Amino acid sequence: MSQKVFAMNPRFSAEVAAEPGGGHLNSCFACGACSGACPVSMAIPAYDPRKIIHMIRMGMEERLLSSELLWHCSGCRSCVPVCPQNVGFADIMTVLRGLALKKGHVSLDQLVEKGKAAKVERDLCVSCLTCVRVCPWGVPKIDAGGAAHIDPAACRACGICAGECPAQAITLNQSEDERLLAACGAN
């Protein structure tokens, strides 16, 4: 059995830090407080914010940007109040996700397929604006054709819009981390 060998990029850390929100990387001294407070890492041990910071600093660009780990962060920001440096780890994850999209490690269609973004069935949408009103992040918009549109890159996959849509025009696939969390609750 062979393992895939990933190239290292010594400039990756600087690239992440140069993006809006990525500057938090320079403040982090990897104490691990974020890992201890992260509800996702408690349920999915492979997801470890401190480990992700180390991977960035080591230049493990390809391995990290092609990893499912990027899509586990819920953006809850539980990491921020416990951080002695006030690092916004969720902002760093947003940068990594953006780089993964930009560099072709994942497509917008794959995000929808993986359950990391909601999708609107235009033929079912009645333009009632419910999704626009209930989304805490303001992601759904009504497009020029009068139907709701959800930008997969901005969607947090919380499922609120899908659950509240009276026309059932919005769908959200179950993600792998949801399956893992459900398995944790079954024990």
Side-chain angles (χ1 to χ4, degrees):
M1 213 181 223
S2 66
Q3 264 190 325
K4 184 174 179 179
V5 177
F6 295 98
M8 304 294 264
N9 177 359
R11 296 177 303 284
F12 184 52
S13 181
E15 184 179 353
V16 170
E19 294 287 325
H24 290 288
L25 182 64
N26 294 330
S27 300
C28 176
F29 54 80
C31 68
C34 55
S35 295
C38 178
V40 175
S41 69
M42 290 177 205
I44 304 170
Y47 182 82
D48 182 344
R50 181 169 50 177
K51 182 178 179 181
I52 292 168
I53 294 290
H54 285 300
M55 290 174 78
I56 295 168
R57 290 190 173 142
M58 291 175 62
M60 300 173 79
E61 174 183 0
E62 184 182 358
R63 185 170 181 180
L64 189 55
L65 295 184
S66 62
S67 170
E68 289 295 318
L69 292 176
L70 294 185
W71 310 103
H72 290 314
C73 177
S74 67
C76 70
R77 304 186 72 78
S78 294
C79 51
V80 178
V82 299
C83 178
Q85 297 296 100
N86 203 32
V87 170
F89 182 74
D91 296 333
I92 294 170
M93 292 304 292
T94 299
V95 169
L96 292 173
R97 289 173 176 178
L99 289 172
L101 281 163
K102 180 175 151 185
K103 295 182 177 208
H105 291 281
V106 68
S107 70
L108 295 176
D109 288 338
Q110 287 172 317
L111 291 181
V112 171
E113 181 183 312
K114 292 174 186 251
K116 295 301 176 183
K119 177 182 179 183
V120 177
E121 296 294 333
R122 292 183 56 81
D123 294 343
L124 297 176
C125 180
V126 295
S127 304
C128 66
L129 299 175
T130 298
C131 58
V132 174
R133 285 192 304 274
V134 300
C135 179
W137 297 280
V139 175
K141 306 282 188 238
I142 302 299
D143 65 19
H149 171 75
I150 296 174
D151 176 5
C155 182
R156 307 264 181 115
C158 67
I160 295 172
C161 61
E164 294 293 324
C165 180
Q168 297 179 341
I170 303 174
T171 57
L172 179 63
N173 294 337
Q174 186 179 33
S175 65
E176 179 63 20
D177 47 320
E178 286 178 306
R179 285 188 282 278
L180 290 169
L181 289 169
C184 290
N187 291 336

